[in-house]
Amino acid sequence: MRLLNFFRKLYINHQFFFALMGLMVLFVLSFIFPFLFNATRYLFFALLLLLLLDIMILFVAQRGIEASRSMAEKLSNGDENPITVNIRNFYTFPIQIKLVDEIPFQFQVRNFNINSTISPSSEKVIVYQLRPTERGEYFFGNLNIYVSSPLRIISRRFTFNKDQMVPVYPSYIQLRKYDLMAFSNNLLQYGVKRIRRIGHSMEFEQIKEYTQGDDIRTLNWKATAKKNALMINQFQDEKSQSVYMVIDKGRVMKMPFNGLSLLDYAINATLVLSNVILKKHDKAGMLTFSKKPENRVVAEKRSSQMEKILQSLYGIKTDFFESDYSRLYADIRQHINQRSLIILYTNFESLDGLHRQLPYLKAIAKSHLLVVIFFNNTELNDLIDKKADTIQQVYDKAIAEKFAFEKRLIVNELRKYGIHSVLTQPENLTLDTINKYLEIKARGIL
């Protein structure tokens, strides 16, 4: 058994076979030039001696190296996640390593390896990135490290971290990024717009010194005269308003973009927007629907609300059935009694598709403020921008422009019935959704 285990760890490198091929050539040439035979024979024995010496060098130590794979407790869907491998060399000579990590099958990477060199009796940290595009459980296999001595004739395999599982959650990296931006009050450079407040439907909060960008109509002249500096009345937004994010998980959300489905883009945006809503002291809730409404989280502003929303988003599963808007309307009417902001993530590719669901959208908009968020087909935009050189390309470009025009018609059709809409590209979904929410809060129309 020990002998079998030894051979399982022993791998002969390419250099050994290249040397054997060279010796075979010399043996063939020795038939023509006999004086080469003795020299080639000595070289052959020298190669075998080096092979035995390399085996002894690598296998005499019971603990040649130690390695471990480390990562976050959960991975962020759609983002680059760092995977760290710490390797410690106990050999007293420099080693060459080939790191072969058995990464989860979801990535479909079959030739992953990293080559490096480690100095004697030292440590090295190797970091690589993985970008998951599906939520769920990811299983890592063995962490295999093949070690070679300076002779580089053989390699010894070391195996660590067998069967390590890590869950992939909605994009909490984006959540942290926008949370940090909000904390630093530096949202403008990332695309979150400053919305001018219309009227004064907000509650009075305090008198503060004027700063650039404040509304000069709120100047407090008495305080200005007393302080000998411009002072303004500061108002705070109305709080404790209910905001529900409704995610369509039907077949229209299966369309992929940059590896992620539209459904996953909506899930990531919902997580970030929920955090913004709670920071604004509003109540954040959510639900999903396809054949029937599911994954419902009642709108609240408790400290545990973000965790509840995160777990619900992580557990979203769908077979991408046809979405039933009638059951969505019935569910909203039954469970959401207070006037709320309903942010609906869905997708319409044509006016006919909108008209089939328009009666239910109009019914929802009678009791709530409804915002419909749907997506531009970026592949159509690329086709429109591309120069047409053939008749077929002209036809394709004309059809693409027709579909793009219908998207704009959908926006106008929704506006006719007092339904707000956001037509966005998948990569801009989070920013555009935050901007729409902030606009509604600033205008005080909820």
Side-chain angles (χ1 to χ4, degrees):
M1 183 61 69
R2 295 183 62 182
L3 185 61
L4 180 61
N5 189 43
F6 166 77
F7 282 111
R8 284 177 176 172
K9 295 180 179 179
L10 175 63
Y11 288 82
I12 299 178
N13 291 337
H14 297 309
Q15 287 85 341
F16 179 80
F17 295 104
F18 292 152
L20 279 182
M21 291 173 62
L23 290 174
M24 289 173 60
V25 172
L26 290 177
F27 273 122
V28 171
L29 291 176
S30 65
F31 284 98
I32 304 174
F33 307 102
F35 66 89
L36 290 176
F37 180 76
N38 287 330
T40 305
R41 185 175 58 177
Y42 293 141
L43 288 174
F44 175 72
F45 288 125
L47 179 61
L48 292 181
L49 183 61
L50 288 175
L51 174 64
L52 294 174
L53 179 62
D54 206 7
I55 292 174
M56 291 179 60
I57 290 174
L58 288 176
F59 284 86
V60 71
Q62 292 296 323
R63 189 176 63 165
I65 65 168
E66 282 186 355
S68 63
R69 181 201 303 116
S70 61
M71 65 194 83
E73 292 183 357
K74 51 182 179 286
L75 301 184
S76 178
N77 192 25
D79 299 310
E80 295 289 347
N81 296 266
I83 311 297
T84 304
V85 178
N86 294 278
I87 306 173
R88 185 174 181 183
N89 178 20
F90 293 102
Y91 289 111
T92 56
F93 50 85
I95 59 173
Q96 289 78 38
I97 66 164
K98 180 180 180 181
L99 188 154
V100 179
D101 200 355
E102 297 176 3
I103 63 178
F105 71 89
Q106 288 93 335
F107 295 101
Q108 291 297 300
V109 177
R110 306 181 187 278
N111 57 346
F112 180 85
N113 63 81
I114 298 174
N115 296 305
S116 185
T117 302
I118 305 179
S119 302
S121 302
S122 63
E123 294 186 23
K124 187 159 191 176
V125 177
I126 297 176
V127 180
Y128 64 91
Q129 304 285 337
L130 289 179
R131 180 180 180 267
T133 56
E134 299 177 10
R135 289 166 290 110
E137 295 181 343
Y138 283 53
F139 290 89
F140 285 81
N142 294 333
L143 174 63
N144 302 292
I145 299 180
Y146 298 84
V147 177
S148 298
S149 73
L151 296 176
R152 306 192 70 175
I153 297 177
I154 67 160
S155 294
R156 179 181 176 182
R157 185 181 71 172
F158 293 86
T159 303
F160 307 93
N161 290 107
K162 184 177 181 180
D163 297 333
Q164 185 178 4
M165 191 279 289
V166 60
V168 174
Y169 275 73
S171 180
Y172 63 86
I173 289 180
Q174 287 189 37
L175 173 66
R176 292 173 181 171
K177 181 181 75 172
Y178 287 106
D179 197 21
L180 179 62
M181 289 190 300
F183 179 77
S184 62
N185 199 24
N186 199 26
L187 293 169
L188 289 175
Q189 70 179 32
Y190 290 91
V192 177
K193 303 173 185 176
R194 186 190 297 272
I195 307 297
R196 185 170 66 89
R197 290 173 172 169
I198 309 297
H200 295 292
S201 62
M202 285 70 75
E203 301 175 3
F204 175 78
E205 183 177 11
Q206 64 175 349
I207 299 174
K208 74 176 188 72
E209 190 170 344
Y210 172 83
T211 56
Q212 186 176 1
D214 289 331
D215 189 353
I216 61 174
R217 295 175 300 173
T218 62
L219 283 170
N220 187 316
W221 294 108
K222 290 184 180 180
T224 298
K226 189 180 295 185
K227 292 284 188 179
N228 197 25
L230 289 176
M231 307 295 291
I232 65 166
N233 295 327
Q234 185 177 17
F235 298 88
Q236 62 182 5
D237 295 337
E238 296 179 4
K239 299 178 180 178
S240 297
Q241 295 176 309
S242 296
V243 181
Y244 280 89
M245 289 143 288
V246 180
I247 302 175
D248 181 355
K249 55 181 186 179
R251 66 181 61 176
V252 296
M253 299 293 281
K254 192 175 183 179
M255 183 183 298
F257 177 81
N258 197 21
L260 286 178
S261 66
L262 296 183
L263 174 63
D264 281 307
Y265 277 103
I267 289 172
N268 291 344
T270 296
L271 181 65
V272 176
L273 183 59
S274 299
N275 187 54
V276 174
I277 291 168
L278 293 172
K279 296 286 185 181
K280 284 284 187 179
H281 305 286
D282 282 335
K283 302 175 183 177
M286 61 155 287
L287 64 98
T288 66
F289 77 103
S290 57
K291 296 179 69 176
K292 62 179 181 179
E294 295 175 314
N295 307 104
R296 184 183 296 103
V297 177
V298 178
E300 294 177 340
K301 58 175 183 179
R302 298 178 180 177
S303 57
S304 61
Q305 190 70 356
M306 274 304 299
E307 183 64 25
K308 289 171 64 176
I309 291 175
L310 177 60
Q311 293 300 329
S312 295
L313 293 173
Y314 173 72
I316 291 177
K317 296 180 181 178
T318 180
D319 292 325
F320 295 103
F321 291 111
E322 186 71 26
S323 300
D324 190 341
Y325 279 77
S326 63
R327 297 191 68 172
L328 172 65
Y329 165 64
D331 186 86
I332 290 176
R333 185 174 180 179
Q334 179 181 355
H335 292 98
I336 307 178
N337 299 320
Q338 180 184 0
R339 177 175 169 82
S340 306
L341 171 60
I342 307 291
I343 299 176
L344 173 60
Y345 295 96
T346 186
N347 198 31
F348 295 111
E349 289 295 338
S350 66
L351 271 175
D352 291 336
L354 171 67
H355 286 149
R356 286 195 296 270
Q357 314 302 343
L358 193 56
Y360 307 111
L361 298 179
K362 289 161 58 178
I364 295 172
K366 286 181 180 179
S367 304
H368 305 278
L369 181 62
L370 178 61
V371 178
V372 176
I373 299 177
F374 60 109
F375 299 89
N376 257 324
N377 192 325
T378 53
E379 292 187 3
L380 290 182
N381 293 340
D382 295 339
L383 193 59
I384 292 171
D385 296 336
K386 185 178 179 181
K387 183 180 178 181
D389 296 322
T390 64
I391 297 296
Q392 182 63 45
Q393 291 176 348
V394 171
Y395 289 153
D396 293 341
K397 187 172 183 178
I399 294 173
E401 289 176 347
K402 174 182 178 296
F403 278 109
F405 180 67
E406 283 208 19
K407 290 279 188 178
R408 296 190 291 272
L409 289 179
I410 291 172
V411 173
N412 293 330
E413 189 73 10
L414 291 170
R415 188 184 296 124
K416 281 168 46 178
Y417 300 101
I419 301 173
H420 295 257
S421 63
V422 176
L423 177 59
T424 182
Q425 296 184 3
E427 70 269 26
N428 299 328
L429 174 63
T430 300
L431 279 175
D432 290 344
T433 307
I434 293 175
N435 280 329
K436 190 64 179 180
Y437 166 72
L438 295 178
E439 176 191 344
I440 290 172
K441 291 292 294 181
R443 292 173 61 187
I445 59 177
L446 177 55

